[in-house]
């Protein structure tokens, strides 16, 4: 016998009815919030030429993508690992003439060759929004506020936002705390790892004070401002304060200015989203640049991506069963149709022996009325 014909590959899983219904409701709720804030939905394909996805933004990692040769063009194709880069392509091509700032949103599944850290999942639901044509403080404030509102609509509670400055080391190394070019990457890495000893060994002893500017936003931003005596970060610190003033009433705010993991293509501002009861980040976002064609200037943008699979699992476990109306044989079809129009979910009997409760029904149609079982 073929004992493994029904196995799924590692990191992939089915969503059964209750979970799939929860995922659909959550996705609809988030997209509705994005629509009310003026973000138009787009739907890129799940497969593109590898070159297109790998070259649209700095920091994209093609080695994480599933790749194969297209028998029609004989060029390498890739399954998307991030929808953001596809939206960037759409903005730079088909929507190049659209008015800026351009607000777009999306939802779909992304796949990677291997999972991240302790999470073995290789396929994830990604829902997000991109504001293209501006990476200003006002744009950043809007994106963070919309991300929080979307999570709240999805059913997340206890939301917290962790701010970071992805280009922190580059900004300081240029003048305020000079670093040799061959040491910048190592200093970035050890700051991200919060390893003081390795940071000193990498030649970044002067960067040690940055490890103290971590924690609740109000106190951490004051420590960062005290470190930045030369003023190299003054504009960024002012921007963080302005963003925090806008979204502070909506969520708990923290600061980790040296955080780098997950911000490979972000520029001056990044943020990570967390929610109560979830083990890891539920989303992240920040500013970035969409690379233009050869000789064309890059375009600034800011956006966020949510990865709500764990939230869906949590809400599925705690979600109440939906009221469902059983329609016996010979029922009044017109009455059933009116009840569906009123919002009822119905299940019709196909035989005399159909068991309403076994089919998950909570009510039964009696004439024109719904009667609780």
């Amino acid at each position: 016998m073929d004992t493994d014909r029904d196995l799924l590959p590692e990191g992939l899983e089915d969503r059964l009815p209750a979970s799939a219904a929860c995922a659909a409701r959550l996705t609809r709720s988030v997209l509705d919030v994005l629509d009310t804030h003026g973000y138009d939905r787009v739907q890129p394909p799940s497969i593109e030429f590898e070159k297109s996805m790998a070259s649209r933004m700095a920091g994209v990692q093609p080695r994480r993508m599933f790749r194969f040769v297209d028998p029609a063009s004989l060029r390498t194709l890739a399954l998307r690992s991030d929808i953001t880069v596809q939206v960037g392509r759409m903005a730079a091509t088909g929507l190049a003439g659209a008015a800026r700032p351009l607000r777009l949103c999306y939802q779909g599944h992304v796949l990677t060759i291997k999972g991240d850290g302790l999470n073995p999942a290789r396929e994830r639901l990604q829902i997000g929004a991109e504001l293209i044509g501006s990476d200003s403080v006002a744009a950043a404030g809007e994106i963070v506020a919309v991300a929080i509102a979307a999570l709240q609509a999805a059913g997340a509670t206890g939301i917290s936002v962790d701010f970071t400055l992805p280009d922190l080391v580059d900004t300081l190394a240029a003048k305020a705390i000079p670093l040799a070019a061959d040491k910048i990457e190592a200093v970035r890495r050890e700051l991200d790892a919060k390893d003081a000893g390795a940071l000193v060994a990498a030649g970044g002893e002067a960067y040690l004070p940055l490890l103290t500017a971590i924690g609740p936003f109000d106190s951490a931003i004051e420590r960062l401002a005290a470190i930045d005596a030369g003023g190299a970060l003054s504009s960024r610190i002012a921007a963080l304060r302005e963003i925090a003033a806008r979204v502070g009433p909506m969520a708990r705010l923290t600061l980790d200015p040296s955080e780098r993991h997950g911000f490979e293509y972000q520029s001056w501002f990044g943020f990570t989203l967390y929610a109560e009861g979830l083990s890891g980040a539920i989303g992240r976002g920040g500013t970035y640049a969409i690379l233009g064609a050869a000789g064309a200037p890059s375009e600034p943008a800011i956006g966020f991506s949510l990865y709500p699979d764990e939230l869906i699992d949590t809400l599925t476990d705690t979600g109440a069963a939906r009221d469902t109306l059983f329609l016996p044989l010979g029922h009044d079809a017109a009455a059933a149709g009116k009840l569906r129009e009123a919002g009822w979910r119905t299940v019709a009997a196909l035989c005399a022996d159909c068991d309403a409760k076994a089919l998950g029904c909570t009510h039964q149609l009696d004439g024109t009325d719904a009667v609780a079982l």
Side-chain angles (χ1 to χ4, degrees), residues 7-367:
L7 294 177
L8 287 173
E10 179 183 356
L12 305 179
E13 64 179 11
D14 295 319
R15 284 209 174 278
L16 299 182
S19 179
C22 181
R25 290 193 298 271
L26 181 148
T27 300
R28 186 163 51 248
S29 296
V30 171
L31 291 175
D32 284 348
V33 168
L34 300 181
D35 180 68
T36 62
H37 283 85
Y39 288 77
D40 295 319
R41 186 174 175 183
V42 293
Q43 189 173 349
S46 57
I47 301 171
E48 289 195 29
F49 290 120
E50 177 198 19
K51 183 178 180 180
S52 174
M53 286 199 279
S55 63
R56 186 59 60 185
M57 296 176 189
V60 175
Q61 301 175 20
R63 66 179 181 275
R64 301 187 69 227
M65 302 176 187
F66 284 97
R67 291 165 288 174
F68 51 95
V69 174
D70 176 16
S73 66
L74 299 182
R75 296 173 62 184
T76 301
L77 299 178
L79 282 169
R80 65 187 180 199
S81 61
D82 182 5
I83 301 177
T84 302
V85 295
Q86 297 183 289
V87 176
R89 173 186 55 75
M90 297 170 80
T93 55
L95 294 170
R100 265 47 174 180
L102 177 64
R103 291 174 170 87
L104 302 174
C105 66
Y106 59 84
Q107 70 86 27
H109 284 85
V110 294
L111 293 100
T112 53
I113 290 176
K114 61 184 296 185
D116 293 325
L118 298 177
N119 182 0
R122 295 194 288 170
E123 182 181 28
R124 298 189 294 173
L125 174 62
Q126 181 180 353
I127 313 174
E130 310 298 330
L131 198 163
I132 297 158
S134 174
D135 63 355
S136 67
V137 177
E142 175 179 317
I143 279 290
V144 178
V146 170
I148 295 170
L151 279 178
Q152 291 171 335
T157 58
I159 298 169
S160 65
V161 185
D162 187 42
F163 294 151
T164 189
L165 297 172
D167 68 350
L168 176 71
V169 173
D170 301 82
T171 301
L172 293 175
K175 186 176 180 181
I177 310 178
L179 269 179
D182 60 351
K183 293 184 178 180
I184 290 177
E185 183 55 40
V187 169
R188 278 202 208 103
R189 182 179 62 250
E190 303 311 337
L191 270 175
D192 188 19
K194 312 298 183 285
D195 189 333
L199 181 59
V200 172
E205 184 174 357
Y207 287 75
L208 282 172
L210 292 172
L211 296 178
T212 68
I214 298 171
F217 181 83
D218 289 339
S219 57
I221 196 70
E222 294 300 335
R223 291 193 292 271
L224 182 61
I227 293 167
D228 185 41
L233 301 176
S234 59
S235 63
R236 283 164 173 73
I237 291 170
L240 290 176
R241 292 187 194 274
E242 188 173 334
I243 297 166
R246 175 168 179 175
V247 303
M250 304 173 67
R252 175 177 176 267
L253 305 182
T254 59
L255 174 66
D256 183 352
S258 61
E259 174 72 20
R260 284 285 300 173
H261 179 69
F263 295 96
E264 285 79 12
Y265 57 69
Q266 259 71 34
S267 54
W268 73 267
F269 172 66
F271 62 97
T272 305
L273 298 157
Y274 299 92
E276 185 178 7
L278 304 182
S279 60
I282 192 172
R284 57 171 37 95
T287 58
Y288 58 94
I290 299 170
L291 305 180
S298 297
E299 184 170 24
I302 182 169
F304 69 87
S305 296
L306 305 180
Y307 300 96
D309 289 292
E310 187 180 356
L311 178 60
I312 292 167
D313 294 339
T314 300
L315 296 177
T316 300
D317 292 340
T318 60
R322 290 179 63 190
D323 284 344
T324 302
L325 180 66
F326 180 72
L327 306 178
L329 289 177
H331 66 270
D332 185 330
K338 290 181 179 178
L339 288 168
R340 277 192 292 269
E341 291 175 1
W344 279 94
R345 181 172 185 255
T346 65
V347 172
L350 300 179
C351 64
D353 295 331
C354 287
D355 186 326
K357 288 188 176 181
L359 293 173
C361 296
T362 58
H363 295 70
Q364 180 166 319
L365 183 65
D366 184 1

